[in-house]
Every structure is written in C-alpha cells, then in structure tokens.
C-alpha cells in the first residue's frame, strides 16, 4: 500500500501547482497570483490565475471553474485581498464559497486593508500561511517593490564573454551568445512592462526592443537620451508593437523634441545631475508613476554601472558565452564607480544556473556587498 501523503507534503504539492498557475497571464501592475481548489484527498478540482488587471483575481477565477467549493481547500500563492479596487475583496468570495481551509503562500507585502487572515478565521475557516513562502514571494517581488517605493523592479540583462565583455572595442556585439540564449532574452522582454537602454546602445546597435523570437506582448521601449540624439529612423521608434518613451534632460533642443514627437515618441523630461547625466532615481520614479512595475535594462555598460552605483538594481539575468576577447579596451557589462574591495562587490544570492547550448544563463536577486 502506498504511503499516505502527509498534510504538509500535500500543501507543498498543491502550492507548487498554484505557483505554476500564477506564472500565466499578464496582470501588471497587479501581482502574479495562482490558486488551486482541492478535496480532502488532495485531488485538484480547479485552478485559476490572475490574467489581467481588472479581470478576476486568481481565487475568483478558480471558484468560477470549480464544480464544488463547499468544504474544500483553497491554496493561493498570495494572501487574498481585503479591499475594493478594480474588483471586489477576494475575502468575501472565499468566505461565500464555503471553504473549510485556506492555505496561503505569502502574505500581502503591503495590504491596502489589512486583516484578511483574521477575517477568514473569524468566518470559521482554518488558515495556514507560509507554505513555499520563498517561491511565492519571488512571484511578487516586482509588485512588492513597486507598491512600497513606487519605483520599478529593475532587472539587469546582459550577454557577456567569459572575461565579462559585452562588445568589442569597436562596438561589435552580434552575436556573443547563441540562438537559445537570445530566445530566452525575448522571454524576459515578454515578462517586462518596459525595456530600457541608453542612447549609446541605440546609436551603436539600433535595437528593436520588441518580442520576436517567442509569442508574447511587447514592452514599452524606453531610451535614456539626455540630449535627444535618437535618430527619427531608429528602430525603437519604427519597430512594430509597443510604445517608445524617451527620457531626456531640460537642455534638449526644442527642434529635437518636436521631431521625435512627430516620429511617435512620448518624451519625459528628467532632472539632470551635476555630472550632466539624467538623475537615475528620478527617471525610475517617472516610470514607476506610469505603472512600469518590472523594468528590463539591456544596457549599455554605463547605464548598468549607474544603476549598480545607486543601489537601484534588483535582479540580474546574465548570459555568458564561452568566448574570451582578451581586450582591456572592450566594454564590460557595467562601467560605474564600483568598489575598491571585493567585499563590496554586488553578488547574486542563490543563483540559478542553466545551460543553453554552449552558453550559461545565471540569474537571481542582486545583493550589494559590505565594505569594512
């Protein structure tokens, strides 16, 4: 006879299914949330996820798909909402459905109306929370940062050689990595609300910054261009799908503003610092105010370096090719002030390492080192 599944093991198994469901949809600026309804034996009755902002939340989606909910168990990756927003409180729907038990992965990082767990318990529902909490928190890391700080969650993406170079000294970077790595980079674009590059990248590479190698949704294309040097023929302006926003300084010439608006760009004026560059935190705040929750930054090296120096980067997605340029004049992934000591270097905590053909993909949350 097969060994009976413990409640803890069952909760972990069903929460893992809810996590898989949560990865579907494109709910930004709302968080990715998944839900699974099961019976007393742990058999799945229905699952749901939050597809789009304004559409049914994961719990309500699962309830609508279930043929029975009375006395059943609900596993949900994020604490049910307890407030009226674009939709009604999920706590009301959960209570009305008659669940016996609710298992929560992560508590709401910044609940509009606290007390969801207490409200469910007051209705006689058994509540457990903290199941696969780390994985569930990772699902909403971008939402958590944005709702607390109003800044985007910043993901640094780069393709580099073994010696950390992202182009030759002449600017040639096509192609450092293989097709599989480039395909995954397009999946990262699909997950992002916006993809950002500096004007140097636009002038050197003329990127399209849309999603082409996989099915997906194009992010907003964003260029840091203090003096508005972006050509009116640049692919960021002419590529299919998505909008193009250009962040510029107050000194940008009026004729360039007029020309780029005529070409279809949305222009956002950002404060300039004493070094003559755009103030990066102000740039991020302007994007956050426009509901850019997850921002993929594809370079160049000065942009990456500025974000790291300012403590503004949250995650890294680095594709490493088995090539060595061996050229000290070739640009590296990040060219900021950096640290005088290795102890102060940024590092990826608990990195995920994957093989993509001949290349290696390293990803994870960034943490700044401490210099003594």
């Amino acid at each position: 006879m097969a060994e009976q599944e413990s409640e803890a093991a069952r909760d972990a198994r069903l929460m893992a299914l809810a996590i898989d469901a949560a990865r579907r949809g494109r709910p930004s600026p709302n968080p990715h949330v998944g839900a699974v309804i099961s019976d007393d034996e742990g058999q799945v009755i229905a699952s749901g996820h939050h597809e789009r902002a304004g559409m049914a939340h994961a719990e309500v989606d699962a309830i609508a798909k279930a043929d029975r909910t009375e006395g059943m168990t609900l596993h949900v990756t994020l604490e049910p909402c307890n407030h009226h927003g674009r939709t009604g409180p999920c706590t009301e729907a959960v209570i009305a459905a008659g669940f016996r038990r609710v298992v929560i992965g992560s508590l709401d990082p910044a609940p509009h109306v606290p007390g969801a767990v207490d409200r469910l318990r007051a209705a006689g529902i058994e509540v457990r929370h903290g199941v696969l909490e780390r994985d569930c928190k990772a699902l909403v890391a971008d939402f958590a940062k944005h709702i607390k700080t109003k800044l985007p969650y910043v993901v640094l993406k780069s393709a580099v050689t073994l010696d950390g170079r992202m182009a030759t000294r002449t600017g040639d970077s096509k192609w450092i990595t293989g097709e599989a790595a480039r395909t995954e980079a397009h999946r990262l674009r699909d997950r992002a609300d916006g993809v950002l590059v500096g004007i140097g990248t636009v002038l050197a590479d003329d990127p399209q910054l849309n999603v082409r190698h996989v099915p997906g949704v194009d992010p907003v294309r964003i260029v840091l261009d203090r003096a508005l040097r972006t050509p009116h023929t640049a692919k960021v302006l002419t590529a299919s799908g998505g909008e193009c926003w250009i962040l510029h300084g107050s000194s940008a010439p009026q004729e360039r503003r007029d020309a780029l608006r005529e070409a279809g760009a949305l222009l956002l004026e950002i404060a300039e610092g004493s070094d003559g560059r755009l103030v990066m935190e102000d740039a991020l705040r302007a994007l956050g105010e426009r509901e850019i929750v997850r921002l993929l930054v594809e370079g160049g090296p000065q942009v990456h370096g500025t974000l790291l120096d300012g403590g503004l980067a949250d995650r890294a997605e680095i594709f490493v090719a088995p090539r060595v340029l061996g050229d000290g004049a070739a640009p590296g992934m990040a060219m900021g002030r950096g640290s005088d000591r290795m102890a102060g270097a940024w590092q990826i905590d608990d990195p995920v390492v994957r093989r993509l053909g001949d290349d290696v993909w390293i990803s994870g949350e960034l943490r700044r080192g401490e210099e003594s």
Side-chain angles (χ1 to χ4, degrees), residues 133-294:
E133 183 175 27
R134 181 174 179 176
D135 293 334
C136 291
K137 282 185 173 181
L139 279 172
V140 298
D142 46 9
F143 167 78
K145 181 184 178 183
H146 183 255
I147 201 169
K148 290 176 182 177
T149 68
K150 306 305 179 187
L151 299 174
Y153 181 86
V154 176
V155 181
L156 304 186
K157 176 263 172 184
S158 190
V160 298
T161 62
L162 281 175
D163 50 346
R165 306 301 176 175
M166 60 186 300
T168 67
R169 68 168 68 200
T170 63
D172 179 35
S173 61
K174 294 181 179 179
W175 296 102
I176 293 174
T177 54
E179 185 175 346
R182 297 198 298 275
T183 297
E184 291 303 325
H186 280 246
R187 292 191 207 282
L188 293 176
R189 288 182 183 175
D190 172 55
R191 286 194 61 201
D193 300 303
V195 55
L196 180 146
V197 296
I199 181 58
T201 298
V202 171
L203 296 176
D205 297 339
D206 196 19
Q208 297 184 58
L209 302 183
N210 55 8
V211 178
R212 301 184 304 283
H213 298 330
V214 297
V217 178
D218 292 313
V220 176
R221 302 187 289 273
I222 304 165
V223 181
L224 292 173
D225 182 5
R226 182 186 61 82
L228 291 180
R229 293 187 291 150
T230 301
H232 70 276
T233 56
K235 291 176 182 175
V236 290
L237 293 166
T238 62
S240 61
E243 300 178 66
C244 178
W245 300 355
I246 302 180
L247 281 56
H248 64 91
S250 59
S251 60
Q254 186 61 49
E255 63 271 19
R256 293 300 303 149
R257 301 186 193 211
D258 295 340
L260 288 169
R261 286 196 185 102
E262 181 67 23
L266 171 68
L267 302 187
L268 301 175
E269 185 172 314
I270 305 298
E272 297 180 41
S274 58
D275 58 0
R277 298 181 181 181
L278 300 181
V279 177
M280 190 63 78
E281 187 164 353
D282 288 357
L284 295 181
R285 196 166 303 281
L287 298 178
E289 288 172 354
R290 289 161 177 80
E291 296 192 335
I292 300 295
V293 176
R294 190 179 188 91

Side-chain angles (χ1 to χ4, degrees), residues 6-231:
S6 69
E7 183 175 78
R10 180 183 303 166
D11 283 344
R13 173 175 62 82
L14 293 168
M15 189 62 73
L17 294 177
I19 290 170
D20 286 342
R23 294 192 175 106
R24 304 167 195 160
R26 195 178 178 89
S28 186
N30 290 348
H32 283 271
V33 184
V36 169
I37 298 171
S38 63
D39 62 19
D40 287 342
E41 279 71 50
Q43 297 298 311
V44 174
I45 295 170
S47 67
H49 68 280
H50 188 27
E51 179 68 23
R52 293 286 188 277
M55 295 178 67
H57 287 189
E59 305 93 316
V60 175
D61 184 44
I63 290 168
K65 295 174 180 174
D67 58 12
R68 62 192 187 280
T69 57
E70 188 73 33
M72 301 297 106
T73 296
L74 172 70
H75 286 74
V76 60
T77 57
L78 185 67
E79 180 182 9
C81 65
N82 195 33
H83 69 284
H84 285 273
R86 290 182 172 99
T87 61
C90 287
T91 49
E92 291 182 1
V94 170
I95 292 168
F99 289 109
R100 176 184 66 83
R101 185 166 178 262
V102 173
V103 181
I104 298 167
S106 171
L107 296 180
D108 193 327
H112 300 278
V113 180
V117 170
D118 291 340
R119 187 175 182 187
L120 296 177
R121 285 176 173 157
I125 299 173
E126 177 189 343
V127 179
R128 180 187 178 199
H129 60 81
V131 174
L132 300 189
E133 183 175 27
R134 181 174 179 176
D135 293 334
C136 291
K137 282 185 173 181
L139 279 172
V140 298
D142 46 9
F143 167 78
K145 181 184 178 183
H146 183 255
I147 201 169
K148 290 176 182 177
T149 68
K150 306 305 179 187
L151 299 174
Y153 181 86
V154 176
V155 181
L156 304 186
K157 176 263 172 184
S158 190
V160 298
T161 62
L162 281 175
D163 50 346
R165 306 301 176 175
M166 60 186 300
T168 67
R169 68 168 68 200
T170 63
D172 179 35
S173 61
K174 294 181 179 179
W175 296 102
I176 293 174
T177 54
E179 185 175 346
R182 297 198 298 275
T183 297
E184 291 303 325
H186 280 246
R187 292 191 207 282
L188 293 176
R189 288 182 183 175
D190 172 55
R191 286 194 61 201
D193 300 303
V195 55
L196 180 146
V197 296
I199 181 58
T201 298
V202 171
L203 296 176
D205 297 339
D206 196 19
Q208 297 184 58
L209 302 183
N210 55 8
V211 178
R212 301 184 304 283
H213 298 330
V214 297
V217 178
D218 292 313
V220 176
R221 302 187 289 273
I222 304 165
V223 181
L224 292 173
D225 182 5
R226 182 186 61 82
L228 291 180
R229 293 187 291 150
T230 301

